[in-house]
Amino acid sequence: MCFLPLAAAAVTAPRIPLRLLGRGLAAAMSTSEPLKSVDYEVFGRVQGVCFRMYTEGEAKKIGVVGWVKNTSKGTVTGQVQGPEDKVNSMKSWLSKIGSPSSRIDRTEFSNEKAISKLEYSNFSIRY
């Protein structure tokens, strides 16, 4: 579990009105832009550094759906779906940025494909 001091949590907590939360996803589904799905695995110092929490936050900010989880071998894996440009933005974030305390050595992407509809309604952390 990732623990932040209360003051830090208050500063970093997103302040998005509930009525706005789903707009990015609704817009993605109503656009004629092609949808894309990709699996990923991130290698490096990515466990114990709030990587999943930051990944979930970034995915929601960008407007993609899918999931993220830790693996038993010390990596983080998951899937991202959404409009092609937004998935590409998330791929870049997973490859280069990550959480503030993480160190990304490499990110592998697989099963990249066009999809006709989103398989998820949100982005979640899996355990």
Side-chain angles (χ1 to χ4, degrees):
M1 175 152 272
C2 182
F3 297 99
L4 294 173
L6 287 178
V11 170
T12 60
R15 290 180 173 78
I16 302 169
L18 288 176
R19 70 187 190 292
L20 298 179
L21 282 177
R23 284 194 181 173
L25 304 179
M29 290 187 282
S30 65
T31 182
S32 60
E33 186 176 357
L35 296 175
K36 184 169 160 180
S37 176
V38 66
D39 298 339
Y40 62 88
E41 186 168 11
V42 187
F43 298 79
R45 184 172 172 239
V46 293
Q47 289 192 11
V49 292
C50 302
F51 197 91
R52 293 172 300 161
M53 181 186 75
Y54 277 89
T55 300
E56 179 185 38
E58 186 67 15
K60 289 179 177 181
K61 184 173 90 175
I62 289 174
V64 293
V65 297
W67 55 273
V68 62
K69 74 174 185 175
N70 285 341
T71 69
S72 59
K73 60 183 182 178
T75 64
V76 170
T77 188
Q79 186 176 77
V80 176
Q81 295 183 348
E84 189 170 8
D85 63 332
K86 292 182 179 189
V87 169
N88 289 340
S89 293
M90 194 67 195
K91 285 175 65 177
S92 179
W93 188 90
L94 288 164
S95 301
K96 300 172 186 165
I97 301 172
S99 67
S101 300
S102 67
R103 185 197 71 244
I104 299 169
D105 292 339
R106 75 181 192 277
T107 305
E108 294 180 357
F109 297 99
S110 59
N111 301 320
E112 192 161 336
K113 60 188 176 191
I115 55 174
S116 58
K117 65 180 179 135
L118 299 175
E119 298 169 26
Y120 307 99
S121 58
N122 62 11
F123 196 94
S124 63
I125 296 173
R126 291 188 177 175
Y127 297 94

PDB file of all heavy atoms in Angstrom, residues 64-104:
ATOM      1  N   VAL A  64      -8.248   7.173 -20.563  1.00  0.00           N
ATOM      2  CA  VAL A  64      -8.197   5.798 -21.061  1.00  0.00           C
ATOM      3  C   VAL A  64      -8.743   4.860 -19.988  1.00  0.00           C
ATOM      4  O   VAL A  64      -8.874   5.237 -18.821  1.00  0.00           O
ATOM      5  CB  VAL A  64      -6.756   5.376 -21.449  1.00  0.00           C
ATOM      6  CG1 VAL A  64      -6.278   6.176 -22.652  1.00  0.00           C
ATOM      7  CG2 VAL A  64      -5.787   5.519 -20.284  1.00  0.00           C
ATOM      8  N   VAL A  65      -9.075   3.644 -20.388  1.00  0.00           N
ATOM      9  CA  VAL A  65      -9.589   2.645 -19.453  1.00  0.00           C
ATOM     10  C   VAL A  65      -8.634   1.455 -19.424  1.00  0.00           C
ATOM     11  O   VAL A  65      -7.758   1.316 -20.280  1.00  0.00           O
ATOM     12  CB  VAL A  65     -11.010   2.186 -19.838  1.00  0.00           C
ATOM     13  CG1 VAL A  65     -11.994   3.351 -19.774  1.00  0.00           C
ATOM     14  CG2 VAL A  65     -11.035   1.535 -21.219  1.00  0.00           C
ATOM     15  N   GLY A  66      -8.836   0.575 -18.445  1.00  0.00           N
ATOM     16  CA  GLY A  66      -8.011  -0.619 -18.336  1.00  0.00           C
ATOM     17  C   GLY A  66      -7.693  -0.936 -16.902  1.00  0.00           C
ATOM     18  O   GLY A  66      -8.495  -0.688 -16.005  1.00  0.00           O
ATOM     19  N   TRP A  67      -6.484  -1.446 -16.667  1.00  0.00           N
ATOM     20  CA  TRP A  67      -6.107  -1.871 -15.315  1.00  0.00           C
ATOM     21  C   TRP A  67      -4.591  -1.912 -15.166  1.00  0.00           C
ATOM     22  O   TRP A  67      -3.853  -1.866 -16.142  1.00  0.00           O
ATOM     23  CB  TRP A  67      -6.720  -3.223 -14.986  1.00  0.00           C
ATOM     24  CG  TRP A  67      -6.402  -4.310 -15.991  1.00  0.00           C
ATOM     25  CD1 TRP A  67      -7.090  -4.599 -17.130  1.00  0.00           C
ATOM     26  CD2 TRP A  67      -5.297  -5.221 -15.956  1.00  0.00           C
ATOM     27  NE1 TRP A  67      -6.491  -5.632 -17.800  1.00  0.00           N
ATOM     28  CE2 TRP A  67      -5.394  -6.042 -17.106  1.00  0.00           C
ATOM     29  CE3 TRP A  67      -4.238  -5.431 -15.073  1.00  0.00           C
ATOM     30  CZ2 TRP A  67      -4.470  -7.055 -17.370  1.00  0.00           C
ATOM     31  CZ3 TRP A  67      -3.317  -6.432 -15.343  1.00  0.00           C
ATOM     32  CH2 TRP A  67      -3.451  -7.236 -16.477  1.00  0.00           C
ATOM     33  N   VAL A  68      -4.146  -2.002 -13.898  1.00  0.00           N
ATOM     34  CA  VAL A  68      -2.739  -2.100 -13.549  1.00  0.00           C
ATOM     35  C   VAL A  68      -2.619  -2.986 -12.319  1.00  0.00           C
ATOM     36  O   VAL A  68      -3.503  -2.991 -11.462  1.00  0.00           O
ATOM     37  CB  VAL A  68      -2.121  -0.701 -13.290  1.00  0.00           C
ATOM     38  CG1 VAL A  68      -2.794   0.010 -12.124  1.00  0.00           C
ATOM     39  CG2 VAL A  68      -0.621  -0.785 -13.071  1.00  0.00           C
ATOM     40  N   LYS A  69      -1.536  -3.773 -12.244  1.00  0.00           N
ATOM     41  CA  LYS A  69      -1.283  -4.569 -11.037  1.00  0.00           C
ATOM     42  C   LYS A  69       0.193  -4.904 -10.913  1.00  0.00           C
ATOM     43  O   LYS A  69       0.943  -4.877 -11.896  1.00  0.00           O
ATOM     44  CB  LYS A  69      -2.117  -5.847 -11.028  1.00  0.00           C
ATOM     45  CG  LYS A  69      -1.655  -6.930 -11.976  1.00  0.00           C
ATOM     46  CD  LYS A  69      -2.463  -8.199 -11.774  1.00  0.00           C
ATOM     47  CE  LYS A  69      -1.908  -9.319 -12.646  1.00  0.00           C
ATOM     48  NZ  LYS A  69      -2.597 -10.580 -12.386  1.00  0.00           N
ATOM     49  N   ASN A  70       0.613  -5.202  -9.678  1.00  0.00           N
ATOM     50  CA  ASN A  70       1.963  -5.678  -9.411  1.00  0.00           C
ATOM     51  C   ASN A  70       2.053  -7.144  -9.802  1.00  0.00           C
ATOM     52  O   ASN A  70       1.064  -7.871  -9.733  1.00  0.00           O
ATOM     53  CB  ASN A  70       2.302  -5.554  -7.928  1.00  0.00           C
ATOM     54  CG  ASN A  70       2.586  -4.128  -7.500  1.00  0.00           C
ATOM     55  OD1 ASN A  70       2.868  -3.260  -8.310  1.00  0.00           O
ATOM     56  ND2 ASN A  70       2.519  -3.886  -6.199  1.00  0.00           N
ATOM     57  N   THR A  71       3.250  -7.583 -10.192  1.00  0.00           N
ATOM     58  CA  THR A  71       3.473  -8.997 -10.458  1.00  0.00           C
ATOM     59  C   THR A  71       4.401  -9.564  -9.381  1.00  0.00           C
ATOM     60  O   THR A  71       5.067  -8.814  -8.659  1.00  0.00           O
ATOM     61  CB  THR A  71       4.142  -9.217 -11.836  1.00  0.00           C
ATOM     62  OG1 THR A  71       5.494  -8.721 -11.779  1.00  0.00           O
ATOM     63  CG2 THR A  71       3.367  -8.517 -12.944  1.00  0.00           C
ATOM     64  N   SER A  72       4.465 -10.880  -9.313  1.00  0.00           N
ATOM     65  CA  SER A  72       5.326 -11.530  -8.326  1.00  0.00           C
ATOM     66  C   SER A  72       6.802 -11.386  -8.665  1.00  0.00           C
ATOM     67  O   SER A  72       7.653 -11.605  -7.814  1.00  0.00           O
ATOM     68  CB  SER A  72       4.956 -13.013  -8.213  1.00  0.00           C
ATOM     69  OG  SER A  72       5.105 -13.641  -9.471  1.00  0.00           O
ATOM     70  N   LYS A  73       7.115 -10.988  -9.893  1.00  0.00           N
ATOM     71  CA  LYS A  73       8.526 -10.835 -10.271  1.00  0.00           C
ATOM     72  C   LYS A  73       9.022  -9.392 -10.155  1.00  0.00           C
ATOM     73  O   LYS A  73      10.095  -9.060 -10.651  1.00  0.00           O
ATOM     74  CB  LYS A  73       8.778 -11.403 -11.666  1.00  0.00           C
ATOM     75  CG  LYS A  73       7.981 -10.772 -12.785  1.00  0.00           C
ATOM     76  CD  LYS A  73       8.263 -11.486 -14.107  1.00  0.00           C
ATOM     77  CE  LYS A  73       7.513 -10.824 -15.243  1.00  0.00           C
ATOM     78  NZ  LYS A  73       7.807 -11.448 -16.524  1.00  0.00           N
ATOM     79  N   GLY A  74       8.238  -8.533  -9.503  1.00  0.00           N
ATOM     80  CA  GLY A  74       8.689  -7.167  -9.239  1.00  0.00           C
ATOM     81  C   GLY A  74       8.402  -6.156 -10.322  1.00  0.00           C
ATOM     82  O   GLY A  74       8.909  -5.033 -10.279  1.00  0.00           O
ATOM     83  N   THR A  75       7.591  -6.529 -11.302  1.00  0.00           N
ATOM     84  CA  THR A  75       7.211  -5.599 -12.363  1.00  0.00           C
ATOM     85  C   THR A  75       5.777  -5.131 -12.140  1.00  0.00           C
ATOM     86  O   THR A  75       5.093  -5.586 -11.223  1.00  0.00           O
ATOM     87  CB  THR A  75       7.321  -6.263 -13.756  1.00  0.00           C
ATOM     88  OG1 THR A  75       6.395  -7.342 -13.837  1.00  0.00           O
ATOM     89  CG2 THR A  75       8.734  -6.769 -14.004  1.00  0.00           C
ATOM     90  N   VAL A  76       5.332  -4.249 -12.992  1.00  0.00           N
ATOM     91  CA  VAL A  76       3.940  -3.804 -13.015  1.00  0.00           C
ATOM     92  C   VAL A  76       3.403  -4.126 -14.398  1.00  0.00           C
ATOM     93  O   VAL A  76       4.072  -3.875 -15.405  1.00  0.00           O
ATOM     94  CB  VAL A  76       3.824  -2.296 -12.711  1.00  0.00           C
ATOM     95  CG1 VAL A  76       2.416  -1.788 -12.968  1.00  0.00           C
ATOM     96  CG2 VAL A  76       4.219  -2.013 -11.274  1.00  0.00           C
ATOM     97  N   THR A  77       2.219  -4.701 -14.458  1.00  0.00           N
ATOM     98  CA  THR A  77       1.630  -5.081 -15.737  1.00  0.00           C
ATOM     99  C   THR A  77       0.204  -4.543 -15.824  1.00  0.00           C
ATOM    100  O   THR A  77      -0.389  -4.175 -14.807  1.00  0.00           O
ATOM    101  CB  THR A  77       1.656  -6.619 -15.910  1.00  0.00           C
ATOM    102  OG1 THR A  77       1.250  -6.947 -17.232  1.00  0.00           O
ATOM    103  CG2 THR A  77       0.741  -7.320 -14.934  1.00  0.00           C
ATOM    104  N   GLY A  78      -0.334  -4.519 -17.044  1.00  0.00           N
ATOM    105  CA  GLY A  78      -1.709  -4.059 -17.195  1.00  0.00           C
ATOM    106  C   GLY A  78      -2.117  -3.941 -18.645  1.00  0.00           C
ATOM    107  O   GLY A  78      -1.426  -4.436 -19.551  1.00  0.00           O
ATOM    108  N   GLN A  79      -3.240  -3.284 -18.838  1.00  0.00           N
ATOM    109  CA  GLN A  79      -3.792  -3.078 -20.176  1.00  0.00           C
ATOM    110  C   GLN A  79      -4.400  -1.682 -20.241  1.00  0.00           C
ATOM    111  O   GLN A  79      -4.984  -1.211 -19.262  1.00  0.00           O
ATOM    112  CB  GLN A  79      -4.853  -4.126 -20.483  1.00  0.00           C
ATOM    113  CG  GLN A  79      -5.367  -4.077 -21.914  1.00  0.00           C
ATOM    114  CD  GLN A  79      -6.339  -5.209 -22.191  1.00  0.00           C
ATOM    115  OE1 GLN A  79      -7.481  -5.149 -21.775  1.00  0.00           O
ATOM    116  NE2 GLN A  79      -5.856  -6.239 -22.879  1.00  0.00           N
ATOM    117  N   VAL A  80      -4.236  -1.049 -21.388  1.00  0.00           N
ATOM    118  CA  VAL A  80      -4.804   0.285 -21.632  1.00  0.00           C
ATOM    119  C   VAL A  80      -5.639   0.222 -22.897  1.00  0.00           C
ATOM    120  O   VAL A  80      -5.230  -0.377 -23.892  1.00  0.00           O
ATOM    121  CB  VAL A  80      -3.687   1.340 -21.812  1.00  0.00           C
ATOM    122  CG1 VAL A  80      -4.275   2.687 -22.167  1.00  0.00           C
ATOM    123  CG2 VAL A  80      -2.845   1.450 -20.567  1.00  0.00           C
ATOM    124  N   GLN A  81      -6.822   0.853 -22.860  1.00  0.00           N
ATOM    125  CA  GLN A  81      -7.691   0.945 -24.031  1.00  0.00           C
ATOM    126  C   GLN A  81      -8.230   2.365 -24.147  1.00  0.00           C
ATOM    127  O   GLN A  81      -8.481   3.019 -23.145  1.00  0.00           O
ATOM    128  CB  GLN A  81      -8.882  -0.015 -23.911  1.00  0.00           C
ATOM    129  CG  GLN A  81      -8.496  -1.466 -23.901  1.00  0.00           C
ATOM    130  CD  GLN A  81      -9.710  -2.380 -23.849  1.00  0.00           C
ATOM    131  OE1 GLN A  81     -10.838  -1.948 -23.610  1.00  0.00           O
ATOM    132  NE2 GLN A  81      -9.474  -3.652 -24.087  1.00  0.00           N
ATOM    133  N   GLY A  82      -8.429   2.784 -25.391  1.00  0.00           N
ATOM    134  CA  GLY A  82      -9.008   4.097 -25.639  1.00  0.00           C
ATOM    135  C   GLY A  82      -8.685   4.557 -27.033  1.00  0.00           C
ATOM    136  O   GLY A  82      -8.166   3.792 -27.856  1.00  0.00           O
ATOM    137  N   PRO A  83      -8.967   5.835 -27.324  1.00  0.00           N
ATOM    138  CA  PRO A  83      -8.612   6.395 -28.625  1.00  0.00           C
ATOM    139  C   PRO A  83      -7.096   6.300 -28.824  1.00  0.00           C
ATOM    140  O   PRO A  83      -6.325   6.417 -27.864  1.00  0.00           O
ATOM    141  CB  PRO A  83      -9.066   7.849 -28.532  1.00  0.00           C
ATOM    142  CG  PRO A  83     -10.087   7.863 -27.451  1.00  0.00           C
ATOM    143  CD  PRO A  83      -9.675   6.802 -26.482  1.00  0.00           C
ATOM    144  N   GLU A  84      -6.690   6.097 -30.052  1.00  0.00           N
ATOM    145  CA  GLU A  84      -5.278   5.842 -30.364  1.00  0.00           C
ATOM    146  C   GLU A  84      -4.331   6.900 -29.788  1.00  0.00           C
ATOM    147  O   GLU A  84      -3.303   6.568 -29.196  1.00  0.00           O
ATOM    148  CB  GLU A  84      -5.102   5.740 -31.875  1.00  0.00           C
ATOM    149  CG  GLU A  84      -3.739   5.282 -32.289  1.00  0.00           C
ATOM    150  CD  GLU A  84      -3.642   4.944 -33.772  1.00  0.00           C
ATOM    151  OE1 GLU A  84      -4.611   5.202 -34.531  1.00  0.00           O
ATOM    152  OE2 GLU A  84      -2.598   4.425 -34.165  1.00  0.00           O
ATOM    153  N   ASP A  85      -4.669   8.180 -29.939  1.00  0.00           N
ATOM    154  CA  ASP A  85      -3.774   9.228 -29.445  1.00  0.00           C
ATOM    155  C   ASP A  85      -3.646   9.202 -27.925  1.00  0.00           C
ATOM    156  O   ASP A  85      -2.566   9.434 -27.385  1.00  0.00           O
ATOM    157  CB  ASP A  85      -4.213  10.611 -29.944  1.00  0.00           C
ATOM    158  CG  ASP A  85      -5.583  11.027 -29.442  1.00  0.00           C
ATOM    159  OD1 ASP A  85      -6.432  10.144 -29.170  1.00  0.00           O
ATOM    160  OD2 ASP A  85      -5.828  12.241 -29.325  1.00  0.00           O
ATOM    161  N   LYS A  86      -4.732   8.882 -27.226  1.00  0.00           N
ATOM    162  CA  LYS A  86      -4.688   8.832 -25.760  1.00  0.00           C
ATOM    163  C   LYS A  86      -3.921   7.602 -25.278  1.00  0.00           C
ATOM    164  O   LYS A  86      -3.178   7.670 -24.296  1.00  0.00           O
ATOM    165  CB  LYS A  86      -6.107   8.856 -25.186  1.00  0.00           C
ATOM    166  CG  LYS A  86      -6.792  10.194 -25.424  1.00  0.00           C
ATOM    167  CD  LYS A  86      -8.161  10.239 -24.813  1.00  0.00           C
ATOM    168  CE  LYS A  86      -8.786  11.603 -25.065  1.00  0.00           C
ATOM    169  NZ  LYS A  86     -10.022  11.783 -24.314  1.00  0.00           N
ATOM    170  N   VAL A  87      -4.087   6.485 -25.964  1.00  0.00           N
ATOM    171  CA  VAL A  87      -3.313   5.279 -25.623  1.00  0.00           C
ATOM    172  C   VAL A  87      -1.828   5.556 -25.846  1.00  0.00           C
ATOM    173  O   VAL A  87      -0.986   5.185 -25.019  1.00  0.00           O
ATOM    174  CB  VAL A  87      -3.796   4.052 -26.428  1.00  0.00           C
ATOM    175  CG1 VAL A  87      -2.837   2.878 -26.275  1.00  0.00           C
ATOM    176  CG2 VAL A  87      -5.198   3.648 -25.988  1.00  0.00           C
ATOM    177  N   ASN A  88      -1.507   6.239 -26.921  1.00  0.00           N
ATOM    178  CA  ASN A  88      -0.108   6.577 -27.184  1.00  0.00           C
ATOM    179  C   ASN A  88       0.466   7.494 -26.102  1.00  0.00           C
ATOM    180  O   ASN A  88       1.625   7.356 -25.702  1.00  0.00           O
ATOM    181  CB  ASN A  88       0.052   7.206 -28.568  1.00  0.00           C
ATOM    182  CG  ASN A  88      -0.151   6.196 -29.674  1.00  0.00           C
ATOM    183  OD1 ASN A  88      -0.060   4.986 -29.463  1.00  0.00           O
ATOM    184  ND2 ASN A  88      -0.451   6.692 -30.865  1.00  0.00           N
ATOM    185  N   SER A  89      -0.345   8.422 -25.608  1.00  0.00           N
ATOM    186  CA  SER A  89       0.095   9.289 -24.505  1.00  0.00           C
ATOM    187  C   SER A  89       0.373   8.465 -23.253  1.00  0.00           C
ATOM    188  O   SER A  89       1.369   8.688 -22.560  1.00  0.00           O
ATOM    189  CB  SER A  89      -0.963  10.351 -24.187  1.00  0.00           C
ATOM    190  OG  SER A  89      -1.096  11.249 -25.246  1.00  0.00           O
ATOM    191  N   MET A  90      -0.487   7.504 -22.979  1.00  0.00           N
ATOM    192  CA  MET A  90      -0.298   6.652 -21.802  1.00  0.00           C
ATOM    193  C   MET A  90       0.932   5.775 -21.975  1.00  0.00           C
ATOM    194  O   MET A  90       1.682   5.546 -21.021  1.00  0.00           O
ATOM    195  CB  MET A  90      -1.562   5.809 -21.574  1.00  0.00           C
ATOM    196  CG  MET A  90      -1.606   5.143 -20.225  1.00  0.00           C
ATOM    197  SD  MET A  90      -1.771   6.360 -18.909  1.00  0.00           S
ATOM    198  CE  MET A  90      -1.324   5.340 -17.503  1.00  0.00           C
ATOM    199  N   LYS A  91       1.160   5.279 -23.185  1.00  0.00           N
ATOM    200  CA  LYS A  91       2.361   4.471 -23.456  1.00  0.00           C
ATOM    201  C   LYS A  91       3.620   5.299 -23.174  1.00  0.00           C
ATOM    202  O   LYS A  91       4.578   4.801 -22.581  1.00  0.00           O
ATOM    203  CB  LYS A  91       2.370   3.984 -24.910  1.00  0.00           C
ATOM    204  CG  LYS A  91       1.412   2.849 -25.186  1.00  0.00           C
ATOM    205  CD  LYS A  91       1.364   2.487 -26.656  1.00  0.00           C
ATOM    206  CE  LYS A  91       2.681   1.947 -27.161  1.00  0.00           C
ATOM    207  NZ  LYS A  91       2.612   1.538 -28.581  1.00  0.00           N
ATOM    208  N   SER A  92       3.614   6.532 -23.591  1.00  0.00           N
ATOM    209  CA  SER A  92       4.757   7.409 -23.348  1.00  0.00           C
ATOM    210  C   SER A  92       4.965   7.610 -21.848  1.00  0.00           C
ATOM    211  O   SER A  92       6.093   7.536 -21.347  1.00  0.00           O
ATOM    212  CB  SER A  92       4.532   8.744 -24.052  1.00  0.00           C
ATOM    213  OG  SER A  92       5.603   9.605 -23.811  1.00  0.00           O
ATOM    214  N   TRP A  93       3.889   7.855 -21.104  1.00  0.00           N
ATOM    215  CA  TRP A  93       3.973   8.050 -19.656  1.00  0.00           C
ATOM    216  C   TRP A  93       4.520   6.795 -18.979  1.00  0.00           C
ATOM    217  O   TRP A  93       5.392   6.883 -18.101  1.00  0.00           O
ATOM    218  CB  TRP A  93       2.585   8.404 -19.097  1.00  0.00           C
ATOM    219  CG  TRP A  93       2.613   8.794 -17.660  1.00  0.00           C
ATOM    220  CD1 TRP A  93       2.784  10.053 -17.151  1.00  0.00           C
ATOM    221  CD2 TRP A  93       2.470   7.916 -16.530  1.00  0.00           C
ATOM    222  NE1 TRP A  93       2.762   9.998 -15.779  1.00  0.00           N
ATOM    223  CE2 TRP A  93       2.562   8.712 -15.377  1.00  0.00           C
ATOM    224  CE3 TRP A  93       2.267   6.545 -16.392  1.00  0.00           C
ATOM    225  CZ2 TRP A  93       2.474   8.185 -14.087  1.00  0.00           C
ATOM    226  CZ3 TRP A  93       2.182   6.009 -15.109  1.00  0.00           C
ATOM    227  CH2 TRP A  93       2.275   6.822 -13.972  1.00  0.00           C
ATOM    228  N   LEU A  94       4.045   5.620 -19.402  1.00  0.00           N
ATOM    229  CA  LEU A  94       4.499   4.354 -18.816  1.00  0.00           C
ATOM    230  C   LEU A  94       5.965   4.075 -19.144  1.00  0.00           C
ATOM    231  O   LEU A  94       6.643   3.360 -18.404  1.00  0.00           O
ATOM    232  CB  LEU A  94       3.633   3.193 -19.321  1.00  0.00           C
ATOM    233  CG  LEU A  94       2.215   3.122 -18.768  1.00  0.00           C
ATOM    234  CD1 LEU A  94       1.354   2.192 -19.613  1.00  0.00           C
ATOM    235  CD2 LEU A  94       2.228   2.675 -17.303  1.00  0.00           C
ATOM    236  N   SER A  95       6.457   4.613 -20.234  1.00  0.00           N
ATOM    237  CA  SER A  95       7.839   4.374 -20.657  1.00  0.00           C
ATOM    238  C   SER A  95       8.830   5.365 -20.072  1.00  0.00           C
ATOM    239  O   SER A  95       9.992   5.023 -19.856  1.00  0.00           O
ATOM    240  CB  SER A  95       7.950   4.466 -22.179  1.00  0.00           C
ATOM    241  OG  SER A  95       7.121   3.536 -22.800  1.00  0.00           O
ATOM    242  N   LYS A  96       8.378   6.602 -19.832  1.00  0.00           N
ATOM    243  CA  LYS A  96       9.320   7.672 -19.514  1.00  0.00           C
ATOM    244  C   LYS A  96       9.113   8.370 -18.174  1.00  0.00           C
ATOM    245  O   LYS A  96      10.051   8.944 -17.634  1.00  0.00           O
ATOM    246  CB  LYS A  96       9.260   8.740 -20.616  1.00  0.00           C
ATOM    247  CG  LYS A  96       9.606   8.227 -21.989  1.00  0.00           C
ATOM    248  CD  LYS A  96       9.348   9.270 -23.045  1.00  0.00           C
ATOM    249  CE  LYS A  96       9.556   8.676 -24.427  1.00  0.00           C
ATOM    250  NZ  LYS A  96       8.994   9.495 -25.466  1.00  0.00           N
ATOM    251  N   ILE A  97       7.893   8.346 -17.629  1.00  0.00           N
ATOM    252  CA  ILE A  97       7.620   9.185 -16.460  1.00  0.00           C
ATOM    253  C   ILE A  97       7.354   8.352 -15.208  1.00  0.00           C
ATOM    254  O   ILE A  97       8.148   8.354 -14.285  1.00  0.00           O
ATOM    255  CB  ILE A  97       6.460  10.161 -16.752  1.00  0.00           C
ATOM    256  CG1 ILE A  97       6.838  11.046 -17.939  1.00  0.00           C
ATOM    257  CG2 ILE A  97       6.136  10.996 -15.522  1.00  0.00           C
ATOM    258  CD1 ILE A  97       5.734  11.912 -18.460  1.00  0.00           C
ATOM    259  N   GLY A  98       6.233   7.653 -15.148  1.00  0.00           N
ATOM    260  CA  GLY A  98       5.909   6.849 -13.975  1.00  0.00           C
ATOM    261  C   GLY A  98       5.677   7.690 -12.735  1.00  0.00           C
ATOM    262  O   GLY A  98       5.448   8.894 -12.814  1.00  0.00           O
ATOM    263  N   SER A  99       5.736   7.045 -11.573  1.00  0.00           N
ATOM    264  CA  SER A  99       5.553   7.774 -10.318  1.00  0.00           C
ATOM    265  C   SER A  99       6.843   8.507  -9.967  1.00  0.00           C
ATOM    266  O   SER A  99       7.921   8.145 -10.450  1.00  0.00           O
ATOM    267  CB  SER A  99       5.156   6.809  -9.200  1.00  0.00           C
ATOM    268  OG  SER A  99       6.214   5.922  -8.887  1.00  0.00           O
ATOM    269  N   PRO A 100       6.757   9.542  -9.124  1.00  0.00           N
ATOM    270  CA  PRO A 100       7.935  10.356  -8.818  1.00  0.00           C
ATOM    271  C   PRO A 100       9.133   9.557  -8.277  1.00  0.00           C
ATOM    272  O   PRO A 100      10.269   9.888  -8.595  1.00  0.00           O
ATOM    273  CB  PRO A 100       7.427  11.342  -7.769  1.00  0.00           C
ATOM    274  CG  PRO A 100       5.966  11.461  -8.055  1.00  0.00           C
ATOM    275  CD  PRO A 100       5.545  10.095  -8.514  1.00  0.00           C
ATOM    276  N   SER A 101       8.898   8.521  -7.496  1.00  0.00           N
ATOM    277  CA  SER A 101      10.006   7.758  -6.901  1.00  0.00           C
ATOM    278  C   SER A 101      10.392   6.523  -7.709  1.00  0.00           C
ATOM    279  O   SER A 101      11.265   5.768  -7.300  1.00  0.00           O
ATOM    280  CB  SER A 101       9.636   7.325  -5.474  1.00  0.00           C
ATOM    281  OG  SER A 101       9.382   8.452  -4.678  1.00  0.00           O
ATOM    282  N   SER A 102       9.738   6.305  -8.832  1.00  0.00           N
ATOM    283  CA  SER A 102      10.039   5.101  -9.623  1.00  0.00           C
ATOM    284  C   SER A 102      11.276   5.309 -10.489  1.00  0.00           C
ATOM    285  O   SER A 102      11.729   6.431 -10.704  1.00  0.00           O
ATOM    286  CB  SER A 102       8.844   4.733 -10.509  1.00  0.00           C
ATOM    287  OG  SER A 102       8.640   5.708 -11.515  1.00  0.00           O
ATOM    288  N   ARG A 103      11.814   4.196 -10.965  1.00  0.00           N
ATOM    289  CA  ARG A 103      12.871   4.208 -11.969  1.00  0.00           C
ATOM    290  C   ARG A 103      12.454   3.208 -13.045  1.00  0.00           C
ATOM    291  O   ARG A 103      12.353   2.017 -12.783  1.00  0.00           O
ATOM    292  CB  ARG A 103      14.219   3.788 -11.381  1.00  0.00           C
ATOM    293  CG  ARG A 103      15.371   3.902 -12.392  1.00  0.00           C
ATOM    294  CD  ARG A 103      16.620   3.130 -11.987  1.00  0.00           C
ATOM    295  NE  ARG A 103      16.378   1.690 -12.110  1.00  0.00           N
ATOM    296  CZ  ARG A 103      16.371   0.818 -11.095  1.00  0.00           C
ATOM    297  NH1 ARG A 103      16.567   1.222  -9.867  1.00  0.00           N
ATOM    298  NH2 ARG A 103      16.148  -0.458 -11.308  1.00  0.00           N
ATOM    299  N   ILE A 104      12.151   3.690 -14.217  1.00  0.00           N
ATOM    300  CA  ILE A 104      11.705   2.816 -15.307  1.00  0.00           C
ATOM    301  C   ILE A 104      12.931   2.406 -16.121  1.00  0.00           C
ATOM    302  O   ILE A 104      13.579   3.250 -16.725  1.00  0.00           O
ATOM    303  CB  ILE A 104      10.660   3.531 -16.191  1.00  0.00           C
ATOM    304  CG1 ILE A 104       9.434   3.901 -15.361  1.00  0.00           C
ATOM    305  CG2 ILE A 104      10.280   2.649 -17.385  1.00  0.00           C
ATOM    306  CD1 ILE A 104       8.463   4.820 -16.055  1.00  0.00           C
TER     307      ILE A 104
END
